[in-house]
Amino acid sequence: MNALRQRTHSLVCISLNTSKFIHISTNSKSSTLVNAMCDSLRRGSNWDTLTKQFCSVELNHSIVEKVLLKLKDPVDAKCALGFFHWSAQRKHYQHNLWSYCATIHVMVRARMLIDARVLIESVLKKHVEDDSRCLVIDSLFRTYEVMESSPLVFDLLVQAYAKMRMLEVAFDVCCYLEEHGFSLSLISFNTLIHLVTKSDKSCLVWSIYEYMLQKRRYPNEETIRSLISALCKEGKLQTYVDMLDRIHGKRCSPSVIVNTSLIFRIIEEGQTEGGVLLLKRMLQRNMILDTIAYSLVVYAKVKLGNLESALEGYEEMLKRGFSANSFVYTTFIGAYCREGKIERANFLLQEMENMGLKPYDETFNLIIEGCAKVNRVEESLSNCEKMMGRGLLPSCSAFNEMIGKLCETGNAEQANAMLTPLLDKGFLPNEITYSHLIAGYAKAHKIQEILKLYYEMESRLLTPTLQVFSSLISNDFLTVATTVLGTLFGM
């Protein structure tokens, strides 16, 4: 048994030594070939010369990788690019992801950025599927250190995704890179924001800007211009300009408009704590005005349902010398209306007017709707008339709440009379508006008025709701209900 073991051990040693010699010999040949190729490239040999000189060489990934590693310094960048393109033309050889990424790193180090961009776009097109795009990033990571590259390569990657209109992917890659310790430049964020603005993905613009601020990449004039364009495209620029006029009393800079719109969106989406945190950071960097910041904090606390805390914040605001404004008053009026505290809401409305602050459309809408919900219909009507007298139109939801209560109490005629002047001023009723009126006339058994309203609905391309049919059937207007159904379904 011992003799067998010794014989086996001897055979293994011989085998290992033989393998070692073969490996050394192979490495030696490979190294000689790689050096010869690099020397030829450095001498400026053209493709024909290279092909004749190395016609018997069958390229493989190992040889290509070694050549690219030899030529990784900026002084050899043109040689590396020439070798990459020459080897791509050889029969039976195709570059793998490693050689693409290694060559991209070489181009970036040498600041041959046009060539780097071309290669990046080429490799992205080869790996465009969702399940393989991470392969490109991971391969760039794996080759980053060995090619002694620059973080600029990842900026070019994100910019390439953006220019290829793969906008969501570009943002995903941006987040992925940040998670792995690579921070993008402001140029990359601006490129991404600018191209998203030109697309139909407006929500993505604000997600990118929020993320950018969270990572402490602060905007420049180019960023702000793109975001103002996004607001214009959404049709919301005037909305935020008006809001700031009510808070600040005069026109604000484009950057303040943009930052206010972002915070307001975040709060509206229910991410109140995140919005307030970002707001404080903006305030520290003078990206937003104090009065606006305090007003938005009050609004955020009201949205969270912390009315007492909001009132404390408001009192602190006044103690610090800031003046009250229409936006904050309207915020509190809305809170009291939702709680059914109409007396308190009315008091605030009167107080703001006494201070010379002008109620605006939202202020009146809240009061109109709040009064109607607690059956104070006369007050609701009075505020609606006051609103119209100032050249403002009620919102459809506020008006519907008010006339709904009127129709329930048998005042369909009065409700219909309120609608007529509004229509002349451009008010756009919806299905619910007509449903309330039809239900009110059904209770009064006024069939002609019901038919008039139905045909008016039809002319406005509005479809009767279930409430219409229920009210007609319950009031024995089966003939009218059948007529309506027949018209709807062509019976």
Side-chain angles (χ1 to χ4, degrees):
M1 180 67 78
N2 288 333
L4 180 61
R5 283 179 181 169
Q6 286 179 351
R7 185 167 176 273
T8 303
H9 178 72
S10 300
L11 288 171
V12 169
C13 288
I14 291 168
S15 176
L16 287 171
N17 288 332
T18 304
S19 297
K20 184 178 178 181
F21 292 138
I22 291 169
H23 183 64
I24 290 169
S25 175
T26 303
N27 272 348
S28 178
K29 286 180 182 178
S30 175
S31 180
T32 302
L33 175 62
V34 167
N35 288 333
M37 284 184 167
C38 291
D39 289 342
S40 184
L41 287 159
R42 285 169 179 147
R43 288 195 300 270
S45 298
N46 60 29
W47 286 12
D48 290 337
T49 304
L50 285 169
T51 302
K52 288 175 184 176
Q53 191 174 353
F54 301 105
C55 60
S56 61
V57 175
E58 187 173 339
L59 281 184
N60 57 41
H61 294 317
S62 176
I63 293 171
V64 170
E65 288 174 13
K66 287 173 182 174
V67 171
L68 290 173
L69 281 167
K70 278 272 187 182
L71 300 172
K72 69 181 180 181
D73 292 329
V75 69
D76 291 324
K78 288 184 179 178
C79 297
L81 184 62
F83 173 73
F84 178 87
H85 288 309
W86 171 76
S87 54
Q89 301 300 315
R90 297 297 300 272
K91 287 184 179 179
H92 312 301
Y93 182 76
Q94 281 190 332
H95 283 294
N96 61 7
L97 198 50
W98 192 98
S99 59
Y100 264 100
C101 291
T103 309
I104 289 165
H105 286 307
V106 174
M107 296 302 101
V108 172
R109 272 191 80 193
R111 286 298 190 270
M112 294 171 62
L113 302 186
I114 293 174
D115 298 293
R117 287 189 176 98
V118 170
L119 287 174
I120 289 170
E121 287 183 20
S122 178
V123 78
L124 291 183
K125 286 172 184 175
K126 287 176 178 288
H127 297 274
V128 74
E129 301 86 2
D130 287 345
D131 58 349
S132 63
R133 65 175 181 247
C134 288
L135 292 174
V136 177
I137 309 169
D138 291 339
S139 184
L140 284 170
F141 280 156
R142 285 195 298 273
T143 49
Y144 182 83
E145 293 292 340
V146 72
M147 301 308 289
E148 300 177 13
S149 191
S150 156
L152 176 60
V153 72
F154 299 114
D155 282 295
L156 297 182
L157 177 68
V158 170
Q159 290 169 28
Y161 272 122
K163 287 174 182 176
M164 292 168 70
R165 298 301 188 268
M166 299 171 68
L167 301 170
E168 290 96 342
V169 176
F171 185 40
D172 288 344
V173 170
C174 168
C175 299
Y176 185 78
L177 289 168
E178 289 280 351
E179 288 169 9
H180 287 76
F182 289 94
S183 299
L184 294 183
S185 68
L186 183 57
I187 292 172
S188 293
F189 278 110
N190 282 346
T191 301
L192 187 51
I193 287 172
H194 175 70
L195 291 171
V196 173
T197 301
K198 289 183 173 295
S199 73
D200 58 352
K201 299 176 173 64
S202 60
C203 290
L204 185 59
V205 172
W206 301 103
S207 297
I208 295 167
Y209 185 50
E210 180 185 353
Y211 182 81
M212 174 180 154
L213 295 177
Q214 286 171 348
K215 296 301 176 182
R216 289 177 168 76
R217 303 291 181 285
Y218 297 106
N220 59 12
E221 288 184 11
E222 185 181 341
T223 324
I224 299 302
R225 276 197 303 271
S226 293
L227 293 168
I228 289 290
S229 294
L231 285 173
C232 290
K233 193 171 180 180
E234 293 173 335
K236 293 183 178 178
L237 179 60
Q238 193 59 50
T239 301
Y240 290 111
V241 168
D242 290 343
M243 177 194 293
L244 289 171
D245 285 347
R246 291 159 192 152
I247 295 173
H248 187 55
K250 55 187 176 182
R251 194 54 45 91
C252 294
S253 68
S255 61
V256 171
I257 295 170
V258 162
N259 293 327
T260 302
S261 73
L262 175 65
I263 298 299
F264 191 78
R265 285 167 194 269
I266 294 171
I267 294 170
E268 283 292 284
E269 288 169 1
Q271 303 173 39
T272 310
E273 292 179 4
V276 171
L277 185 64
L278 191 57
L279 180 61
K280 289 177 180 176
R281 188 179 298 170
M282 284 181 178
L283 195 57
Q284 288 169 354
R285 294 188 62 86
N286 296 318
M287 295 171 69
I288 201 163
L289 302 174
D290 290 359
T291 306
I292 296 166
Y294 271 105
S295 299
L296 289 174
V297 168
V298 168
Y299 180 76
K301 288 180 177 180
V302 169
K303 284 287 284 186
L304 281 173
N306 297 332
L307 185 54
E308 287 186 14
S309 177
L311 287 165
E312 288 172 7
Y314 174 65
E315 291 298 329
E316 182 184 342
M317 173 176 144
L318 295 178
K319 286 176 185 176
R320 288 173 177 259
F322 297 112
S323 301
N325 59 68
S326 298
F327 177 81
V328 170
Y329 263 97
T330 298
T331 299
F332 284 126
I333 286 169
Y336 284 124
C337 283
R338 283 187 289 275
E339 291 184 0
K341 298 177 180 178
I342 301 302
E343 292 294 344
R344 184 62 183 159
N346 279 329
F347 173 79
L348 288 179
L349 180 62
Q350 188 60 53
E351 185 176 79
M352 72 182 289
E353 290 192 287
N354 292 342
M355 293 176 67
L357 299 174
K358 290 183 179 180
Y360 50 98
D361 49 3
E362 182 64 17
T363 320
F364 283 113
N365 284 327
L366 289 165
I367 287 283
I368 291 166
E369 196 166 344
C371 288
K373 282 182 176 177
V374 294
N375 297 313
R376 297 170 70 157
V377 185
E378 288 302 319
E379 286 181 56
S380 187
L381 281 166
S382 173
N383 281 298
C384 187
E385 287 167 356
K386 186 191 292 186
M387 182 183 192
M388 291 166 64
R390 298 188 185 189
L392 300 172
L393 294 179
S395 68
C396 204
S397 61
F399 183 75
N400 287 346
E401 189 70 37
M402 181 182 69
I403 66 164
K405 293 295 183 180
L406 280 171
C407 291
E408 280 178 20
T409 55
N411 293 305
E413 288 284 357
Q414 189 179 6
N416 200 17
M418 286 290 295
L419 178 60
T420 304
L422 284 174
L423 293 174
D424 294 336
K425 294 182 180 189
F427 179 77
L428 296 174
N430 61 12
E431 293 90 342
I432 297 170
T433 313
Y434 285 101
S435 297
H436 286 319
L437 292 171
I438 289 172
Y441 278 122
K443 281 186 178 181
H445 289 79
K446 294 188 176 181
I447 188 167
Q448 290 303 319
E449 297 300 326
I450 292 169
L451 286 170
K452 281 181 189 176
L453 288 167
Y454 166 66
Y455 290 125
E456 192 176 316
M457 278 187 82
E458 193 177 45
S459 70
R460 291 180 177 275
L461 304 178
L462 298 173
T463 304
T465 63
L466 182 61
Q467 181 188 348
V468 171
F469 296 110
S470 298
S471 60
L472 291 175
I473 292 167
S474 63
N475 288 283
D476 297 325
F477 285 116
L478 295 175
T479 305
V480 179
T482 304
T483 302
V484 173
L485 282 169
T487 306
L488 283 174
F489 299 105
M491 294 164 60

